[in-house]
C-alpha cells in the first residue's frame, strides 16, 4: 500500500449469529484490493472444556539484553565483515516501536544449521494502559509479524535472502492481555519448501496464560549458491 494515499475499506457482513459473527474487510487503493481480512467475533461464554500448552521455561526479560544492545555488541567486534556491519546498522536505524529481548540470539558469525525455533520477550514501547482490548489486539498483530517468518530461515543460514514476504497471517485471541507488558513470543517453523515457509507462534503472558496463537505463510527466495564466508 501507499501510506500517502487514503484507503477505502469495504466491509461485508458475512454472518451475524447469536454468539458468533463474521465480517469481511477489503482495503482498496487505486481501485485494487491491497489487503483482505476476515474477522470473527464471539460473545464471552463460559465452558468447562479448556486446556492449553505449558509456557516454555526461560529467563525473565530483566536478565536479557535488548536487540539494540546485542547489535551494539556485535558492532564493537573489529572482525565483523563490512556487509554485516551495514546490515546491522540498517536494523539499528529502523524506528521499531517494539521492545525485543531474544532469549537465545543467533550467532551472526556462525552459519551452522539451527532448529527452526526462537523465543523473544516482546512488548510495545511506551504506555497504552487499560484501554479497549481491541487496541491491544491491534498492537499484538503488529508485534506478531516482526521477525516471525525469519524463523523458517534458521536451518538455512548459509543462504543469502533475495526476497521474503508474508502471504497470509492468521491470529486467534484466547485471553485478555496488555500489549505494553512483556510477553513471551514462541515461534517455530514446522515446514518450508517450494519457495514458501510456514511459521506458527504463541504469545504468552508472564503469568503463563496463552493469550494469542498465530500462523503465517510466506514467500522465501534465496540465492542458489550458498554463501560460505561469514567474515
Amino acid at each position: 500500500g501507499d501510506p500517502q494515499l487514503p484507503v477505502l475499506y469495504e466491509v461485508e457482513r458475512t454472518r451475524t449469529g447469536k454468539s458468533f459473527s463474521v465480517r469481511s474487510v477489503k482495503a482498496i487503493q487505486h481501485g485494487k484490493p491491497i489487503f483482505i481480512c476476515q474477522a470473527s467475533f464471539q460473545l464471552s461464554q463460559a465452558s468447562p472444556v479448556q486446556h492449553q500448552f505449558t509456557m516454555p521455561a526461560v529467563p525473565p526479560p530483566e536478565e536479557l539484553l535488548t536487540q539494540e544492545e546485542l547489535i551494539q555488541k556485535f558492532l564493537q567486534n573489529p572482525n565483523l565483515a563490512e556487509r554485516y556491519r551495514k546490515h546491522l546498522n540498517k536494523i539499528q536505524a529502523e524506528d521499531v516501536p517494539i521492545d525485543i529481548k531474544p532469549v537465545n540470539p543467533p550467532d551472526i558469525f556462525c552459519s551452522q544449521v539451527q532448529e527452526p525455533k526462537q523465543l523473544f520477550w516482546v512488548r510495545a514501547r511506551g504506555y497504552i494502559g487499560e484501554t479497549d482490548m481491541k487496541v491491544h489486539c491491534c498492537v499484538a498483530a503488529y508485534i506478531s509479524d516482526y521477525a516471525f517468518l525469519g524463523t523458517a530461515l534458521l536451518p538455512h543460514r548459509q543462504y543469502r535472502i533475495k526476497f521474503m514476504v508474508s502471504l497470509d497471517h492468521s491470529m486467534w485471541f484466547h485471553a485478555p492481555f496488555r500489549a505494553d507488558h512483556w510477553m513471551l513470543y514462541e515461534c517455530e517453523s514446522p515446514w518450508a519448501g517450494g519457495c514458501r515457509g510456514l511459521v506458527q507462534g504463541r504469545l504468552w503472558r508472564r503469568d503463563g496464560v496463552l493469550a494469542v496463537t498465530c500462523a503465517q505463510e510466506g514467500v522465501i527466495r534465496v540465492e542458489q549458491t550458498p554463501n560460505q564466508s561469514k567474515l
Side-chain angles (χ1 to χ4, degrees), residues 180-197:
D180 54 351
H181 288 180
W182 285 114
M183 292 189 292
L184 181 67
Y185 195 17
E186 180 185 11
C187 306
E188 58 186 359
S189 174
W191 175 88
C195 292
R196 290 180 292 132

Side-chain angles (χ1 to χ4, degrees), residues 1-11 25-37:
D2 186 343
Q4 303 300 321
L5 294 178
V7 180
L8 173 65
Y9 292 98
E10 291 184 356
V11 181
V25 183
K26 186 183 294 184
I28 299 172
Q29 277 186 336
H30 300 293
K32 296 180 180 180
I34 59 171
F35 177 81
I36 296 174
C37 169

Side-chain angles (χ1 to χ4, degrees), residues 55-68 98-105 118-124 143 146 179 181-187 202-209:
M55 178 179 172
V58 299
E62 291 78 14
E63 296 180 6
L64 300 172
L65 297 176
T66 65
Q67 179 171 274
E68 288 83 357
I98 312 170
D99 286 324
I100 304 168
K101 291 192 173 187
V103 174
N104 294 302
Q118 52 184 345
L119 293 159
F120 306 93
W121 284 106
V122 293
R123 68 178 179 187
I143 291 174
Y146 190 81
H181 288 180
W182 285 114
M183 292 189 292
L184 181 67
Y185 195 17
E186 180 185 11
C187 306
R202 290 180 282 274
L203 276 167
W204 300 89
R205 294 189 335 207
R206 290 194 69 165
D207 60 1
V209 171

Side-chain angles (χ1 to χ4, degrees), residues 119-140:
L119 293 159
F120 306 93
W121 284 106
V122 293
R123 68 178 179 187
R125 286 182 177 166
Y127 177 79
I128 299 176
E130 297 286 352
T131 184
D132 192 321
M133 187 62 210
K134 291 189 287 292
V135 174
H136 289 282
C137 289
C138 290
V139 175

Side-chain angles (χ1 to χ4, degrees), residues 91-122:
I91 296 174
Q92 197 79 304
E94 292 177 355
D95 186 18
V96 180
I98 312 170
D99 286 324
I100 304 168
K101 291 192 173 187
V103 174
N104 294 302
D107 185 351
I108 63 169
F109 297 101
C110 176
S111 60
Q112 291 181 351
V113 170
Q114 287 184 254
E115 192 177 13
K117 295 183 179 182
Q118 52 184 345
L119 293 159
F120 306 93
W121 284 106
V122 293

